Structure formats: C-alpha cells, structure tokens
Amino acid sequence: MFDNYFYFLKKLISVLTFNAGYNAKVVVLGATVLGLTAGVVGTFLVLRKRALVSDALAHSTLPGVAVAFLLLSYFGFDAKNTFFLLSGAAVSALFGSFCVSFISSKTRLAEDAAIGAVLSVFFGFGVVLLSIIQGLNIGSEGGIHNFIYGHTASLRAIDVKMIFLLGLFSIIAAALFIKEFSLVCFDPDFAKTDGWPVSLIDYYLMALVVLVTVLGLQTVGLLLVISLLIIPATIGRFWSNSLSKMTVVSALAGALSCYIGASVSSILPNYPAGAVIVLTSGFFFIFSLLFSPVKGVFASMFRRVSLGFRILLDHTLRDFYEEWEFSKTSTAIADFSLSKNKLKISFFQKFSLYFFRYVKKEKDKIYLTEKGVLKAQEAVRNHRIWEEYIAKFGSVDISHVDFSADLAEHVLSPQIVKELEGAIESSTKEIKESLHTLEKN
Amino acid sequence: MKKFLKESKSIRELPEHSEDSPLSIHSMTISYNYKPVLWDVEYEAPQGSLIAIIGPNGAGKTTLIKGALGLIPRASGEVSFWGKSYNEIRDLVGYVPQRESVDWTFPISALEVVQMGRYSKIGWIKRVSKKHRDIAYSYLETVGMEKFANRQISQLSGGQQQRVFIARALAQEAQLYFMDEPFAGVDAATETAIVEMLKKLRDEGKTVICVHHDLSSVEEYFDSVVLLNTRIISYGSTKSTLTQENLRKTYGGRLTILDQVSSAIEKATS
C-alpha cells in the first residue's frame, strides 16, 4: 500500500524534474508553454470582458477539425496532419466568433444569447460530423476525439515544437501591444475618440485568443480550453493592482497549473490531462479567493471582524467615560472607578479590555489605565465631533445624530477628524458635552 | 437602394461649414437600434466659450456628444470641426466620458490613466517615455492629484476619479473638449476646482462643451447653453437662452408625436 504511494511520488518527481523519459518531457514542456501563453493572452481577454465569446470560439473549432479531417482523408493525405487540422479549427473558430458579433450587432438578441446559440449549433454540427467520420470507417479517426477532451499523450514532438514557436510568438505579439490593449480594455470610447482603431485592436486580440485556443485543443481539449484563458487571469487579478503584475502572475499561474497537471496525468493516464490541469488551476483559484491579501475572503473577513471588535471596545470605553461624566464627580477620570458588576459587558469584551491594558483592577474596582483614558477620550470625542457636524451641516435632528455617529466614529482617520474640527470650529483635543442627554446605564 | 441613397446624398448640397466654429452640426439625426433618439440637430458652437448641454433625462445629451464624436453612427447629418472632418483634427479634441462608463476596479494607477491622454502622441507599440510620463504627472498636479499618482484607481473617491479623468483630457492638450457630466457625483471642493480649470481653459481660448445636470449652477458656470429634449429647443448665450419660456419647452414633457414616429420607424426598419 505505502509502496504504491512511494512509487507514485517517485515517479511524479521524476516527471516534474524532466527525468521521466523523452515523451513525458516533451508533453510537460509543451503544456507549460501553453499555460504561459494562455495566461498572458487571457489577461487581456478577461479585462476586455470577452471571456464568454472565447468559449463560443472554442466550441466552434470542432466542425473545422472534422471538415479538415474529411478533406485530408478524401484527398489521401495523412489524416493526422495536426497543422492542417488546427488550421481548420482556427478557420471555423473565426467564423463562429464572426457569427456571434454579426448576430448581436444586426439583431436585437443580446450577446449572451448569441453566444449560447452559436456555441451549441457549432458544437452540435461538429458532433454530427464526428459520427459521420466514424461511420466511414477510415481507420485513423481515433485521434480526432481527443480534440474534445484533450489527450496530452498524443502530443508528438512536432506538435510541441509548434506550441513552443506559436506560443512564444503570441506572448511577444501580446506584450508589444500592452499599451494599446490596456487603453482599449479600460476605456474603448476614449480610445476611439483619440483615433485608435478599436475594432482592429479587438480583432488582433481575438486572433491571439484563437491561436491559443487552437494550440490548447490537443492538450486540454475544446471543452476546457476556456479555463486556461480565464482562470489564470482571475488569479492574477487577486494578487495584483497593476496590469504588468497581473500579466506576470497570470502567466505563472497558467504555466504552473499546466506543468503540474500534465505531470500528474502522465503518471495517471486514466485521468485526462485537460481535466487535471483545470483542476490544478481551480485549486490555485480557490486558494487565491481565500487568501489573497486584499480581495481574499479571509482578508475581508478579518477586516470586518477587527472592525467589529474595535467598535465593541470603543463603545465600552465610551460607556465608561460617560458613566464618569454622568456621576458629575470631581475626581479625575483616571481615579474614577466602577464596581466590577457595573460594567455590563461580555466576558470576551472584558478579556480584551484587560488584554490591551485599557483597564486595571484594584480591590474589586475597575479603573481605566492611562492608555485606556486616552482611548476613551478619543472615542467620545470622535463620537461627539461627528454628532455636532451632522447636526449642523446634515440637518439631522439632535435626537437622531447618535445612530450615524455610532457607525462613523470608528472609521474617522486623523485627516477626517481635522477636517471635521475645521468645519465645526472646534479646537484640538477639546471634548464638548454631549448634544443629547445621556441615558444612565 | 443603398447606392441610390449615397447618390442622392451627393446631389444634395453640402452645407457651408464655418471655419470659425469649433463644432458645427448640420441636420444630425441619431438612432439607437433603428429608433431615432435625437432629431435634426442644427448647431454651431462659439469659439472659446464654456458651453452646457442641458435637458431632462433621456433628452439625448450624451447622445449628442457621442454622435458628434462618431462614437455612435449617425442616421443622417454632417458634423465638422473648424470646417474639417473629425479625422483631420482629431488631435485637437479631448474627451471626458461619463465616470460610470468605465470599470474603476481596472488594475491601473491614476498616473497610468493620465498617460493614456498621451498615447496618441507616443504612437503604436512604443513605451511611455520619461518625457510623456513627466507631462502626465504635471497634469495630475494641475488637478491636485499628484499625491495619488501611484494609487490604484479603485481606491480613489468619486471626486478624485473625476479629477483623474479631467487630467487625462488635459494631457491630450486639445483645443476643444467634450465632457460628459464632469460634476456628477463629485464633492463641492472638486466641483469648484473643476470649474476653475474649465474657466482657465476658456481663458486660453479653448472651447469646452459639457453635459450638465444642475440647472441652478448653469448661469454661474457657463457662457453658453444648448437646451435639448430629443431635439434642440434653443441655443445661445446663457443669459438670453435660459428663459422661463425655453425651460418650460425643454422640461415640459416630450412631443408625443415625436415618440410615436420614433417607434414607428423602429418597427418599420428593424
């Protein structure tokens, strides 16, 4: 049992380090370059919001492949001439995307409906052609089904060479026009008024997408090739705020997914490479979704929880301060104490007050520490300064100012506090009396 | 049929386009999906003034600008700029689209947006040189946004985003500016700053045409107005045009028959 796992691991490492023989090396290398290319081109595709068009485009490759196959065998050529088959795929992909833009511009159908119609009709036609090919009993039709789900094992050295050359070509072709792409993706109307041929640039981008799609047919198959274009780009978006960084992250994510996916599937030939590659990139996607520092689920959860925590603490300290104010005692706030059971707060709040050393306990009485006094004063002041501002300029009745202040007081930056002070002509550090009557706790 | 239309067009005498006017529009009609939304626009913009296009929602204010710039096809009509076609004088026109028209989560910094105003001067493929970056930065300074140069645009407030958009148009160094609601959703300080900038452009002899929403500030900000409600109601200097009578015509509901004919055309042609 463990021997099995060990054997598997050993084999995986040998594939990953390109030591598992010529075939595995060729396949993994080809897939990696494909991922790199798809990552770069996909970045612009996603930013141009054309992701779904590329799905229609991928699906419409099938009839092209089938027709090319029929032509080859009819004229007695080698029916596995990949270059010719892929050229057929490219032509019908271009025709498919032309149909989408024609339908959505000349009729009142929305683009998504046009995409759905074109995608399914082309794919259906392709499947029918495949059945016809099977019925012809030409013999070598086995290879053509691989274009649907992808089959890395069928990659030959010459195919990988093609992926290499055309892949690097598309990366350079995309990188050269990064300025034009960013302009058209961000603000096509502005680009048009500034004299840029927006549709030409769009066609150019779509041509690169067709190239990547066609190159990916053998590896991941037409059903899943769209994920190679989209998932790495979305991963890139999670980890970067600039276009160049996004492109690099996307390219790396694509390359890594393909590298790992192709390696795994070369050991487990029962699992199609395309699916394994997509699952790998899916894993990276979920990882990014959860852990990305700014846009990730955990980051925003943390932000929300820590804000909630700050709100609780601020409110407790403010209560303490207002209790002192209410008592009208002549003792300084630092010497003012509450009996232990007066502060009606949860155990958690109490714990955090002690944890941050905002309060201290002496003989069953609770005192604010020096730090606690400052914090409480700040909380009260932010609250009242906001109340006064909103009552004065927001025409909110004094009996209602408390509610928005409870929300606003926690997010006031020193900069905003300064502006509020200016607006209500309050001197720095002064704490005014509350506008509304305080209720005794 | 198409050929016939073309020929009949060439037989028709082309209007005299004034070379003094930065923008003259002659009998422009614009349709969306075969439905006319703007009828027979005749307009000549005075050189060197601040011009507001005002009218109720759905009056076709944005459409007027987009039609003039060729962003949406014109069903009919001619537009010329200083007597020339748009392609000949493109470098002289700057454009500020509606702020909501772009995706502000786009991974790009404020400075990079302003640099876009320099792209046509930089040309194809070439990177943005230091010279152009410096120029873009100086326009960020003009709008008081230099502190935010490297900030990603989604982290800017609405007013700041609008300033960046205006800086980009300034970076185009144009003679004629089209701005689609430059004051929409901005804070009071930004509004004042933008008005000052527009006045400065005007004082330099440039022409600025703004889609504007706030009737109460028209007189204070603009020299000249275009009153629009699916057709031009009136245009001219703010004082003489902004009369009770004209405003009533502009805002007092659309011509019902015009709407009916629009729908009829839509049905017949689509």
Side-chain angles (χ1 to χ4, degrees), chain A residues 49 108 175-180 182-183 185-187 189-190 192-197 237 241-243, chain B residues 66 71 86 90 95 97 102-103 105-108 119-120 123-127 152-153 168 172 266:
Chain A
K49 301 189 163 68
R108 282 138 161 270
L176 279 179
F177 291 94
I178 191 165
K179 182 168 107 260
E180 287 75 12
S182 71
L183 180 66
C185 292
F186 175 63
D187 196 345
D189 271 1
F190 178 83
K192 227 184 252 175
T193 62
D194 206 29
W196 296 93
R237 237 180 152 181
N241 258 339
S242 82
L243 186 59
Chain B
K66 287 192 166 178
L71 286 176
Y86 186 65
R90 214 164 38 206
Y95 177 45
V102 303
D103 172 12
T105 65
F106 201 83
I108 198 173
Y119 280 7
S120 64
W124 288 92
I125 297 176
K126 276 181 264 171
R127 305 282 97 148
Q152 205 251 319
I153 51 174
R168 179 177 70 173
Q172 293 183 288
E266 181 189 16

Side-chain angles (χ1 to χ4, degrees), chain B residues 8-203:
Chain B
S8 72
K9 208 173 195 178
S10 61
I11 295 166
R12 211 172 60 196
E13 261 179 63
L14 286 178
E16 290 280 317
H17 277 308
S18 159
E19 283 175 26
D20 304 326
S21 170
L23 168 71
S24 37
I25 301 175
H26 179 67
S27 63
M28 179 174 80
T29 293
I30 292 176
S31 312
Y32 271 125
N33 288 327
Y34 306 100
K35 182 178 185 176
V37 287
L38 202 54
W39 292 89
D40 299 313
V41 174
E42 291 282 345
Y43 179 61
E44 243 177 56
Q47 168 83 37
S49 48
L50 281 181
I51 303 160
I53 303 175
I54 53 181
N57 283 332
K61 303 187 288 292
T62 298
T63 308
L64 178 62
I65 285 190
K66 287 192 166 178
L69 287 170
L71 286 176
I72 41 181
R74 301 189 278 267
S76 72
E78 314 282 331
V79 176
S80 74
F81 303 80
W82 297 283
K84 295 188 171 117
S85 80
Y86 186 65
N87 282 338
E88 290 172 277
I89 50 76
R90 214 164 38 206
D91 292 346
L92 302 178
V93 177
Y95 177 45
V96 179
Q98 266 178 36
R99 189 158 53 85
E100 296 80 31
S101 68
V102 303
D103 172 12
W104 287 94
T105 65
F106 201 83
I108 198 173
S109 70
L111 181 60
E112 284 170 318
V113 173
V114 182
Q115 282 172 4
M116 286 181 172
R118 307 297 300 171
Y119 280 7
S120 64
K121 294 182 173 64
I122 296 167
W124 288 92
I125 297 176
K126 276 181 264 171
R127 305 282 97 148
V128 181
S129 64
K130 189 176 179 308
K131 180 187 130 200
H132 288 289
R133 199 167 28 247
D134 289 346
I135 295 175
Y137 188 84
S138 75
Y139 285 113
L140 265 185
E141 284 177 327
T142 310
V143 300
M145 285 288 295
E146 70 277 8
K147 268 189 261 166
F148 303 94
N150 296 316
R151 191 74 73 85
Q152 205 251 319
I153 51 174
S154 66
Q155 294 162 12
L156 302 174
S157 73
Q160 291 170 332
Q161 290 173 343
Q162 193 65 58
R163 284 172 191 235
V164 170
F165 252 22
I166 287 176
R168 179 177 70 173
L170 294 178
Q172 293 183 288
E173 296 179 338
Q175 290 297 320
L176 167 66
Y177 287 94
F178 288 92
M179 304 194 180
D180 204 340
E181 303 214 21
F183 304 113
V186 306
D187 52 288
T190 299
E191 178 154 341
T192 319
I194 293 176
V195 170
E196 288 311 310
M197 269 177 264
L198 299 189
K199 288 190 171 156
K200 207 171 140 235
L201 286 174
R202 188 251 334 262
D203 296 342

Side-chain angles (χ1 to χ4, degrees), chain A residues 22-331:
Chain A
Y22 183 70
N23 258 347
K25 187 152 88 178
V26 160
V27 165
V28 172
L29 217 61
T32 308
V33 172
L34 175 69
L36 198 71
T37 313
V40 172
V41 175
T43 301
F44 301 108
L45 180 71
V46 166
L47 288 177
R48 188 73 180 100
K49 301 189 163 68
R50 286 286 163 84
L52 282 180
V53 179
S54 76
D55 199 23
L57 200 145
H59 277 77
S60 34
T61 55
L62 190 58
V65 174
V67 168
F69 182 88
L70 283 170
L71 284 177
L72 281 175
S73 38
Y74 182 77
F75 290 106
F77 292 106
D78 171 18
K80 278 194 168 172
N81 183 332
T82 323
F83 185 75
F84 194 76
L85 293 180
L86 294 186
S87 304
V91 169
S92 79
L94 286 174
F95 184 59
S97 71
F98 167 77
C99 288
V100 171
S101 59
F102 182 82
I103 292 172
S104 54
S105 70
K106 296 289 176 203
T107 71
R108 282 138 161 270
L109 278 185
E111 197 181 37
D112 58 343
I115 287 171
V118 168
L119 182 151
S120 44
V121 169
F122 271 74
F123 188 64
F125 183 49
V127 171
V128 168
L129 286 178
L130 277 194
S131 319
I132 292 174
I133 290 171
Q134 262 174 334
L136 290 177
N137 263 330
I138 302 173
S140 57
E141 63 82 25
I144 201 170
H145 270 103
N146 291 332
F147 285 93
I148 299 182
Y149 294 113
H151 188 61
T152 29
S154 68
L155 280 181
R156 294 169 301 179
I158 181 157
D159 302 333
V160 173
K161 257 184 214 156
M162 192 171 67
I163 293 181
F164 234 94
L165 277 178
L166 291 178
L168 292 181
F169 167 79
S170 347
I171 291 177
I172 294 169
L176 279 179
F177 291 94
I178 191 165
K179 182 168 107 260
E180 287 75 12
F181 282 153
S182 71
L183 180 66
V184 169
C185 292
F186 175 63
D187 196 345
D189 271 1
F190 178 83
K192 227 184 252 175
T193 62
D194 206 29
W196 296 93
V198 172
S199 3
L200 194 69
I201 295 170
D202 271 340
Y203 287 135
Y204 181 73
L205 176 60
M206 285 327 268
L208 290 179
V209 170
V210 168
L211 198 57
V212 173
T213 306
V214 164
L215 287 181
L217 285 187
Q218 287 170 287
T219 319
V220 289
L222 63 91
L223 287 182
L224 291 177
V225 71
I226 185 187
S227 63
L228 265 195
L229 285 161
I230 295 169
I231 299 179
T234 50
I235 293 172
R237 237 180 152 181
F238 272 118
W239 296 95
S240 61
N241 258 339
S242 82
L243 186 59
S244 47
K245 256 191 232 153
M246 176 179 165
T247 314
V248 171
V249 173
S250 166
L252 290 180
L256 198 62
S257 311
C258 285
Y259 170 65
I260 294 173
S263 300
V264 170
S265 92
S266 79
I267 310 168
L268 302 170
N270 284 338
Y271 298 93
V276 181
I277 287 172
V278 171
L279 279 181
T280 315
S281 65
F283 169 78
F284 288 134
F285 174 78
I286 291 172
F287 179 83
S288 310
L289 179 82
L290 294 179
F291 297 106
S292 146
V294 184
K295 297 165 200 158
V297 171
F298 285 126
S300 72
M301 213 144 75
F302 176 77
R303 273 197 302 271
R304 232 171 303 139
V305 168
S306 65
L307 176 66
F309 185 69
R310 220 164 57 224
I311 288 177
L312 274 181
L313 274 186
D314 282 359
H315 282 180
T316 316
L317 288 168
R318 210 180 72 215
D319 284 349
F320 201 114
Y321 185 95
E322 285 176 351
E323 203 67 52
W324 167 75
E325 232 180 7
F326 198 80
S327 69
K328 300 214 164 70
T329 168
S330 54
T331 47

